[in-house]
Amino acid sequence: EAVVGDEAADLDSRLAAYERTLIEAALSRTGGVQSRAAALLGIKERSLWHRVKKLGIAVGHFRGAGE
């Protein structure tokens, strides 16, 4: 059975919310240092940068936290 319409949109929004939660937690733990956050998440810095931009995450908000 294929996923259609609202179910697909709901999945996308849930995945985006989960991705945001993981990225924000990593940024918080690393004081906003994206290279360290990327390493924690097991992704490349460039991939993290694209995801941060796509999700509209304000990295500056995490600077100085968690260090």
Side-chain angles (χ1 to χ4, degrees):
E1 195 175 307
V3 177
V4 293
D6 291 341
E7 292 174 8
D10 188 51
L11 176 62
D12 287 341
S13 66
R14 286 177 188 226
L15 288 173
Y18 185 57
E19 184 175 35
R20 171 185 289 279
T21 299
L22 292 174
I23 290 171
E24 288 180 345
L27 288 168
S28 183
R29 284 184 59 190
T30 62
V33 179
Q34 292 186 61
S35 59
R36 289 175 52 207
L40 269 180
L41 294 166
I43 61 175
K44 296 180 188 253
E45 276 185 72
R46 186 163 176 82
S47 178
L48 177 62
W49 181 83
H50 282 291
R51 292 166 194 239
V52 163
K53 187 173 178 180
K54 174 185 80 173
L55 295 168
I57 297 171
V59 175
H61 173 76
F62 299 96
R63 296 223 196 302
E67 290 185 7

